Amino acid sequence: MEWETVIGLEIHVQLATNSKIFSGSSTAFGAAPNTQASAIDLAMPGTLPVVNAQAYKFATMFGLAIDAEINKHSVFERKNYFYPDLPKGYQTTQLEKPIVVGGHVDIRVGEEEKRIRVHHAHLEEDAGKSLHEDYHGMSGIDLNRAGTPLIEVVTEPDMRSGEEAVAFARKLHSVVTSLGICDGEMSQGSMRFDVNISIRPKGEQKLGTRTETKNLNSFRFMERCIEQEIERQIDLLESGGSVVQETRLYDGDTHSARSMRSKEEANDYRYFPCPDLLPVVIDEAYISDIRQQLPELPSARQTRFETDYKLSSYDAELLSTDLNTANFFEAATEQCGDPKLTANWIMGEVSARLNANDTHIGDAPISAADLAQLIARIKDGTISNKIAKTVFDALWNKEGDVDRIIEAKGLKQVSDSGTLEKIVDEVIANNAQQVENYRNAPAEKRPKMLGFFVGQSMKLSKGQANPQQLNKILQEKLEK
Amino acid sequence: MHQLTITEQIKKLKDKTFSSVELTQHYLARIKKYDSELNSFISVTEDAALEQAQSADQALAAGDETPLLGIPIAHKDIFCTDGTPTTCGSKMLENFVPPYDATVVENYRRAGAVMLGKTNMDEFAMGSSNETSFFGPVRNPWAKDCVPGGSSGGSAAAVAALLTPAATATDTGGSIRQPAALCGVTGIKPTYGRVSRWGMIAFASSLDQGGIIARTAEDAALMLNTMASVDPKDSTNIPKDVPDYSASLNNRVNGMRIGVPKEYFSDGLHPGTASAVQEAIGTYEKLGAKISEISLPNTSLAVPAYYVIAPAECSANLSRFDGVRYGHRCENPKNLEDLYKRSRGEGFGEEVKRRILVGTYALSAGYYDAYYHKAQQVRRLIKNDFDAAFEGVDIVLGPTAPSPAFAFGAKGADPVAMYLEDIFTIAANLAGLPGMSIPCGLVDDKPVGLQLIGKHFDEARILNAAHCFQRETDFHSLTPKDIN
């Protein structure tokens, strides 16, 4: 039987506010346990929450960026359950009246464009962390993360493959980082994905029983995890079994998911409006003010790259998706004046090196100014494209700036006609047979044969010969 | 000294008739003398009080004009006090010492008041008799075999026995007004949002409001001037300037329109209470007020609605007491579930457990609409009743409690009988209105309370009406016979 996969995502996005959603504690990552937990975060008796206006603004920015409706009257509710890292015994979140309603994110898989609808996005507080190692059979609680503002983005079940889900996840990452409302640090849990997956026979309208896999925080493993789950469900159904509605927890160490709880064990969360917080009421002026302050979004930037820099749609998309990459590209282009060459370098050498080192452009040892200078030296003939790669290696190893590297390594291109003529003469003298073949060949075959002499001359010049000039001299001398 | 009003004490402190240390020592001595029997205090902070009194005396000598400089005060043990245990009347918080002051406590500290100690209360403010306190019941100074009312029974009894000139209190369904009535003292619950809830341990957040118990309306007004504030730490606190409540105390009552709800004189009302309240109405008539009968048709729905909303909120508010971070933790928990079950099972008393269960049930899937949602609709109806009434009257007047103080154990077996103690007071909480209770007579040598309910943020007017009544009568200056 042919199966169709149906996927919906719930994404927790940590907002990059300085302080927590209901207290003044810092949200910085990596502090010693419980050093960023105030009396409010510890849910000490008598303490009360006050909403962080910045979190509200960020959520509104997100809503506007995905073309959603902003609820002018939104309400925080209490979601009740006991867990040691949930200090109040309830999570303050939104249910009936979330801040963001509707909206969409457009993705591209291969050549196909697809619109993924967002059901809603709500504001809530993050929980703390339970630490199960190093406590001699007991668990430690770290409440630094408790109260960190989140938006939970809930999509419609619009994705049909792991590839689409990952494309959506990447696009969402691009949107929130471009807005500056999330640092996008997946490894620190800044974005965490819960994936709802079900399968049904192709053509069937009714949705199959779904499972929810929680806690994915890497694009790389998301697709694999989804494929594994699809296979598991297909195996179950094809062997006459059935899928049980359950929550599965993804383990980042083993890269596999296991069942956490079934529907029967699910909590009754007893939501009700939080009486410590008044409904948040905003007006049109608040929304339009934020709309005007919105930074350029990836899709708009892509369009601008296509028109302003004459990039192909493919290149423009690749360069605009990640905020840092886009900024890097634009800064380098503005400085060297050659968008096409800059784009090629970023998508080529830079990208390959980043992948090999498993790092981001923000952490790369080479700056936009370095790349711009490198391109400028190619364009003014100081170095050839080939030598530029040697310079790039040196830049990456932090050996100095472009000019110093060229100088120190003696990589300057040889453009002196006398020197080049000597080289060409030597090559002609050493390869009498090839010269004869060349001169006997018909005119249309000669350009191809020229390559041999260019290669030999380049080798002799240690790659530093100016290729255009070399070509010209070779042609002149061989034609004689 | 203890017979003086706070206004008089301030004058005597300023003219050096006595010092704050002397005044404080005097009250501490009275607490020692009477409170082993009354049990109105959970803790007495003698050393800290004397230190505070000493610095108050120095400031007084330097001509400091801080409003309550050197005046002793007691705080209900629901208000967090930095460095002083705050138990909320519960075993759960028997050893809890907050690292912060409630805004109310801070306001009084800044105003120069001297804290004598923390007063007894029903556990987590849940009760109308003070019998649910983990630290034992409080005796009514007027009749020691009777309850003082609750939940602020310790504050009311301490003021009635002249162990403190005033005490802070809280009122979720009548917890200031009912004990004030049963102990023959003056208590005011301000408008919801007038007094900061920061540091006041929550029972039912949308109903809880801090207030003050004192001997007279004049003292209550003076104390409220300091207690009420605008506090950005409490999102439900309303940023409205605090008026000088003392300034309008002597406004004429002549022409004031007073509404008396007919629903408040039903069968359940003790005849002695009814006649004392009728007499008080007569006094107001004599003062030139225009009395009219009004109707608050949804009065009978107040208690049922309250006993859905308050438990629902408390079921979530009390979830933080889980034995993990502070408060009672059971011995040697086997696992997480055992830790929760035994810590909470051992730490909470019966009434608290009952309300957590009721509230959890009311919020459960499938019951939410029938209970919680419906109760919120009733709440709106009750508010509408008052809005309609206040179109024709300036204040609403009636009995505070259905009867004078009852004997210990009289209502313990039947929670609903106990819940009906708040039948006249709960509506003001549901509607968020300011309410007061002032003494208006004695029945069988036990005090009767008169309730005054005002419009939102119209505390000044009910204080004014109460003060004028107290100029005409002397019920507020009566003291229990065993107390000198």
Side-chain angles (χ1 to χ4, degrees):
Chain A
M1 187 181 302
E2 206 179 338
W3 298 95
E4 182 181 50
T5 307
V6 178
I7 300 172
L9 296 178
E10 290 167 27
I11 306 99
H12 290 93
V13 179
Q14 276 187 357
L15 297 178
T17 53
N18 295 325
S19 58
K20 295 186 178 179
I21 186 166
F22 299 125
S23 82
S25 308
S26 166
T27 54
F29 180 82
N34 298 310
T35 54
Q36 289 175 176
S38 68
I40 297 172
D41 307 318
L42 264 70
M44 299 284 264
T47 58
L48 294 169
V50 175
V51 180
N52 180 338
Q54 185 82 3
Y56 227 81
K57 184 184 170 188
F58 282 1
T60 305
M61 286 170 73
F62 174 73
L64 293 175
I66 62 161
D67 225 0
E69 201 178 309
I70 306 300
N71 237 333
K72 289 187 182 142
H73 181 107
S74 53
V75 175
F76 283 103
E77 305 211 23
R78 292 180 178 179
K79 177 184 182 179
N80 294 285
Y81 65 97
F82 283 101
Y83 205 69
D85 60 23
L86 186 74
K88 293 191 292 289
Y90 55 83
Q91 180 192 29
T92 308
T93 177
Q94 298 179 322
L95 180 74
E96 295 289 333
K97 291 175 180 165
I99 167 89
V100 173
V101 180
H104 58 85
V105 172
D106 296 336
I107 59 166
R108 184 214 293 263
V109 173
E111 285 306 297
E112 198 197 344
E113 294 247 15
K114 190 167 177 181
R115 173 155 291 188
I116 307 299
R117 294 167 302 154
V118 169
H119 180 269
H120 76 271
H122 62 258
L123 267 169
E124 62 184 24
E125 57 183 336
D126 210 342
K129 278 180 186 165
S130 295
L131 310 168
H132 299 297
E133 309 87 25
D134 308 331
Y135 293 95
H136 313 287
M138 294 189 287
S139 291
I141 307 294
D142 177 7
L143 295 177
N144 284 352
R145 198 180 69 178
T148 298
L150 301 174
I151 46 173
E152 182 174 340
V153 183
V154 180
T155 75
E156 297 287 356
D158 284 354
M159 287 149 280
R160 293 291 173 270
S161 67
E163 199 184 1
E164 286 184 11
V166 172
F168 175 85
R170 286 189 186 277
K171 192 63 183 278
L172 193 75
H173 184 272
S174 161
V175 170
V176 297
T177 51
S178 296
L179 288 170
I181 62 172
C182 174
D183 66 17
E185 295 293 342
M186 309 276 289
S187 61
Q188 296 176 4
S190 294
M191 278 182 93
R192 309 192 293 272
F193 297 84
D194 300 345
V195 191
N196 286 291
I197 304 169
S198 64
I199 58 168
R200 60 186 173 190
K202 198 144 193 148
E204 171 70 57
Q205 287 302 303
K206 214 171 133 257
L207 289 168
T209 304
R210 69 186 158 87
T211 64
E212 182 181 20
T213 304
K214 286 182 108 71
N215 218 24
L216 285 158
N217 67 348
S218 135
F219 296 131
R220 204 179 299 175
F221 298 115
M222 180 186 287
E223 191 165 351
R224 189 205 288 186
C225 177
I226 291 171
E227 299 305 337
Q228 278 173 5
E229 176 59 14
I230 295 169
E231 267 172 45
R232 193 185 68 88
Q233 292 192 11
I234 291 176
D235 285 351
L236 274 171
L237 294 183
E238 291 192 340
S239 61
S242 58
V243 175
V244 179
Q245 185 171 342
E246 63 182 356
T247 302
R248 300 171 65 78
L249 189 68
Y250 178 76
D251 184 334
D253 295 329
T254 61
H255 301 307
S256 62
R258 62 189 157 74
S259 180
M260 193 166 88
R261 59 170 179 262
S262 73
K263 191 192 173 194
E264 284 71 34
E265 299 166 64
N267 278 311
D268 175 359
Y269 291 117
R270 307 188 309 279
Y271 284 92
F272 75 106
C274 179
D276 285 331
L277 293 162
L278 301 171
V280 179
V281 179
I282 53 174
D283 57 14
E284 200 53 53
Y286 174 87
I287 296 172
S288 64
D289 190 41
I290 290 177
R291 196 191 297 276
Q292 281 179 3
Q293 293 172 39
L294 276 189
E296 190 179 32
L297 288 166
S299 51
R301 205 164 193 183
Q302 179 187 338
T303 311
R304 191 164 59 77
F305 283 2
E306 289 172 36
T307 40
D308 288 8
Y309 301 128
K310 308 284 179 271
L311 296 183
S312 71
S313 149
Y314 179 83
D315 289 359
E317 187 183 357
L318 220 63
L319 289 170
S320 59
T321 301
D322 175 63
L323 179 69
N324 289 327
T325 307
N327 289 343
F328 191 97
F329 164 74
E330 228 170 348
T333 297
E334 289 304 321
Q335 204 179 318
C336 74
D338 193 329
K340 183 65 198 160
L341 207 48
T342 308
N344 288 346
W345 269 89
I346 292 175
M347 292 183 298
E349 287 303 306
V350 176
S351 160
R353 199 61 63 98
L354 291 173
N355 283 342
N357 289 284
D358 198 18
T359 182
H360 315 278
I361 199 152
D363 298 332
I366 165 170
S367 69
D370 289 334
L371 183 65
Q373 201 189 0
L374 183 68
I375 291 167
R377 291 295 165 264
I378 298 169
K379 285 170 66 81
D380 69 13
T382 309
I383 52 174
S384 64
N385 260 319
K386 193 161 184 267
I387 290 295
K389 287 179 182 158
T390 312
V391 179
F392 181 82
D393 288 343
L395 275 173
W396 196 274
N397 295 328
K398 294 249 149 218
E399 290 173 26
D401 70 15
V402 171
D403 288 339
R404 189 171 313 159
I405 290 166
I406 293 172
E407 192 61 43
K409 292 190 180 276
L411 297 174
K412 213 165 181 171
Q413 188 159 262
V414 178
S415 304
D416 174 64
S417 324
T419 316
L420 289 176
E421 275 179 27
K422 253 190 236 163
I423 291 171
V424 169
D425 287 344
E426 199 179 330
V427 169
I428 288 177
N430 291 345
N431 297 284
Q433 185 58 49
Q434 279 86 348
V435 173
E436 203 187 322
N437 291 350
Y438 181 91
R439 288 180 174 155
N440 290 336
E444 69 271 18
K445 285 199 172 172
R446 284 184 183 174
K448 221 176 170 182
M449 297 172 78
L450 189 66
F452 168 76
F453 300 100
V454 173
Q456 293 298 313
S457 308
M458 256 318 167
K459 205 170 164 187
L460 210 57
S461 77
K462 298 195 185 92
Q464 282 167 258
N466 180 323
Q468 283 84 31
Q469 245 179 307
L470 186 68
N471 258 354
K472 205 169 142 238
I473 294 169
L474 264 171
Q475 267 173 334
E476 281 168 11
K477 297 222 177 215
L478 287 167
E479 297 300 328
K480 272 182 193 165
Chain B
M1 271 185 248
H2 57 273
Q3 292 289 0
L4 302 172
T5 67
I6 298 172
T7 312
E8 290 163 341
Q9 289 175 343
I10 289 172
K11 208 178 286 169
K12 303 277 184 201
L13 284 170
K14 279 193 178 151
D15 69 19
K16 314 271 189 295
T17 308
F18 49 74
S19 68
S20 174
V21 168
E22 286 166 330
L23 185 63
T24 303
Q25 277 170 336
H26 179 75
Y27 279 112
L28 288 168
R30 290 184 63 79
I31 293 169
K32 272 200 187 112
K33 181 172 172 193
Y34 292 108
D35 208 47
S36 53
E37 189 182 11
L38 295 177
N39 198 30
S40 67
F41 280 82
I42 288 175
S43 57
V44 178
T45 51
E46 185 168 350
D47 295 345
L50 289 171
E51 263 174 49
Q52 286 168 23
Q54 260 166 16
S55 30
D57 282 334
Q58 283 163 10
L60 279 163
D64 196 322
E65 289 289 316
T66 312
L68 298 175
L69 198 53
I71 296 296
I73 188 178
H75 289 301
K76 184 177 182 180
D77 212 14
I78 199 169
F79 288 102
C80 287
T81 40
D82 192 350
T84 299
T86 301
T87 68
C88 222
S90 181
K91 179 180 180 181
M92 182 58 86
L93 292 177
E94 192 180 359
N95 299 309
F96 175 66
V97 181
Y100 45 87
D101 273 335
T103 297
V104 161
V105 171
E106 193 189 327
N107 288 349
Y108 281 117
R109 217 187 273 277
R110 283 215 190 129
V114 170
M115 183 176 85
L116 295 170
K118 308 290 295 285
T119 58
N120 204 343
M121 56 183 285
D122 277 301
E123 185 180 8
F124 284 101
M126 298 176 196
S128 307
S129 69
N130 226 293
E131 290 167 295
T132 72
S133 171
F134 173 68
F135 301 92
V138 177
R139 290 182 188 279
N140 190 318
W142 291 84
K144 293 185 187 131
D145 55 343
C146 286
V147 304
S151 66
S152 310
S155 291
V159 172
L162 309 171
L163 308 184
T164 178
T168 57
T170 60
D171 190 316
T172 305
S175 281
I176 290 176
R177 292 160 287 160
Q178 185 256 9
L182 269 50
C183 290
V185 290
T186 299
I188 181 165
K189 175 203 97 75
T191 307
Y192 182 79
R194 175 74 289 178
V195 168
S196 170
R197 292 191 297 115
W198 170 263
M200 191 177 106
I201 299 177
F203 159 18
S205 313
S206 76
L207 299 160
D208 296 344
Q209 185 61 200
I212 193 84
I213 292 176
R215 293 186 63 211
T216 65
E218 187 187 27
D219 281 358
L222 181 67
M223 296 305 282
L224 190 58
N225 283 339
T226 291
M227 186 181 227
S229 62
V230 171
D231 185 6
K233 289 194 283 190
D234 173 3
S235 303
T236 60
N237 176 262
I238 294 167
K240 201 172 156 72
D241 286 344
V242 180
D244 179 356
Y245 296 111
S246 304
S248 48
L249 284 173
N250 288 304
N251 288 0
R252 285 163 59 88
V253 172
N254 191 14
M256 189 184 276
R257 298 169 303 164
I258 296 177
V260 179
K262 60 178 183 199
E263 291 82 3
Y264 283 24
F265 293 86
S266 55
D267 294 344
L269 187 63
H270 189 286
T273 301
S275 60
V277 172
Q278 288 300 349
E279 243 174 81
I281 292 169
T283 304
Y284 275 110
E285 240 168 349
K286 221 171 61 193
L287 287 169
K290 288 182 195 154
I291 311 293
S292 58
E293 187 185 82
I294 58 163
S295 176
L296 299 170
N298 293 294
T299 295
S300 65
L301 300 178
V303 169
Y306 174 88
Y307 276 98
V308 171
I309 295 169
E313 291 183 14
C314 99
S315 72
N317 280 335
L318 270 60
S319 292
R320 65 189 60 198
F321 304 107
D322 57 5
V324 173
R325 297 166 311 287
Y326 51 77
H328 179 73
R329 180 192 285 215
C330 68
E331 298 271 347
N332 305 318
K334 287 199 295 281
N335 51 38
L336 185 59
E337 196 175 319
D338 186 44
L339 170 75
Y340 286 151
K341 282 186 175 165
R342 282 200 288 129
S343 299
R344 290 169 66 80
E346 294 160 8
F348 291 139
E350 287 308 306
E351 184 58 28
V352 171
K353 286 180 196 166
R354 175 158 33 240
R355 297 201 194 187
I356 290 173
L357 286 174
V358 167
T360 302
Y361 182 80
L363 291 173
S364 298
Y367 297 100
Y368 182 89
D369 285 340
Y371 293 106
Y372 187 78
H373 186 66
K374 183 73 82 187
Q376 291 291 4
Q377 289 173 323
V378 170
R379 185 173 187 173
R380 167 63 61 178
L381 292 178
I382 284 165
K383 190 177 172 295
N384 292 347
D385 278 1
F386 279 102
D387 287 347
F390 280 127
E391 280 180 19
V393 301
D394 301 310
I395 66 171
V396 169
L397 196 139
T400 306
S403 69
F406 49 91
F408 288 109
K411 300 187 180 186
D414 180 2
V416 176
M418 188 71 89
Y419 296 169
L420 289 173
E421 263 301 294
D422 293 332
I423 188 163
F424 304 130
T425 46
I426 275 174
N429 299 84
L430 290 172
L433 299 168
M436 267 190 94
S437 180
I438 56 174
C440 70
L442 293 176
V443 172
D444 307 329
D445 294 326
K446 290 186 284 193
V448 174
L450 177 72
Q451 183 175 213
L452 300 86
I453 299 171
K455 299 176 188 174
H456 283 111
F457 292 97
D458 211 8
E459 287 81 3
R461 200 189 303 256
I462 54 173
L463 284 161
N464 164 215
H467 180 65
C468 290
F469 182 82
Q470 291 180 338
R471 280 196 320 202
E472 288 300 306
T473 60
D474 62 357
F475 303 116
H476 58 284
S477 44
L478 300 177
T479 48
K481 58 181 184 301
D482 302 343
I483 309 280
N484 299 307

